[in-house]
């Protein structure tokens, strides 16, 4: 049994999928590899995600310590940026492998 943030997972793969699984979390992380993005910049990169879903997934990733949310309040308008934490950056090889596999599938099997 593996425990992370008070939640138990039956194996290491289920723990990983618990953190990055689902339709949008991996996509969010993929776009954040390039660097910090504002909410609307993420929305433009992911035009088919709903605002509610994006917001919920960002909150979940933030709660898991993978993404950090930085609010700039020094001058209006309010600016919020999302970026990978140091912990989140450890997922870059995993996310990049998933993206590379997707490229491979398109190249080799989508004819």
């Amino acid at each position: 049994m593996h425990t992370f943030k008070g939640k138990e997972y039956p194996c290491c793969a289920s723990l990983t999928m618990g953190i990055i699984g689902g339709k949008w979390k991996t996509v969010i992380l993929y776009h954040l590899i390039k660097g910090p993005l504002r909410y609307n910049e993420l929305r433009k990169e992911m035009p088919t995600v709903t605002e509610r879903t994006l917001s919920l997934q960002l909150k979940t990733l933030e709660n898991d310590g993978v993404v950090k949310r930085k609010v700039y309040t020094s001058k209006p308008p309010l600016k919020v940026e999302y970026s990978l934490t140091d912990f989140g950056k450890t997922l870059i090889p995993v996310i990049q492998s998933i993206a590379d596999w997707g490229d491979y599938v398109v190249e080799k099997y989508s004819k």
Side-chain angles (χ1 to χ4, degrees):
M1 203 54 93
H2 294 73
T3 304
F4 178 74
K5 301 248 178 189
K7 189 170 180 186
E8 291 192 355
Y9 298 89
C11 68
C12 53
S14 65
L15 186 151
T16 304
M17 294 311 296
I19 295 171
I20 67 166
K23 185 174 180 179
W24 296 109
K25 286 182 186 176
T26 307
V27 179
I28 292 167
L29 296 173
Y30 175 76
H31 291 298
L32 290 177
I33 288 172
K34 302 173 212 165
L37 292 172
R38 295 176 72 172
Y39 180 85
N40 283 332
E41 293 170 324
L42 272 170
R43 283 274 296 143
K44 285 177 187 167
E45 294 286 341
M46 305 164 51
T48 57
V49 70
T50 65
E51 288 191 28
R52 182 178 190 278
T53 299
L54 179 57
S55 182
L56 288 172
Q57 295 299 284
L58 284 166
K59 283 179 185 165
T60 302
L61 288 166
E62 186 181 5
N63 288 339
D64 285 340
V66 177
V67 167
K68 70 178 166 193
R69 179 179 185 264
K70 186 171 183 181
V71 180
Y72 297 90
T73 58
S74 58
K75 59 182 181 178
L78 184 70
K79 179 180 171 184
V80 178
E81 263 185 358
Y82 294 92
S83 61
L84 295 176
T85 62
D86 288 339
F87 175 57
K89 288 176 184 174
T90 66
L91 286 165
I92 290 173
V94 176
I95 303 301
Q96 194 59 58
S97 292
I98 291 169
D100 292 345
W101 186 81
D103 287 338
Y104 170 77
V105 168
V106 168
E107 187 179 306
K108 299 286 184 186
Y109 296 101
S110 68
K111 295 178 182 179

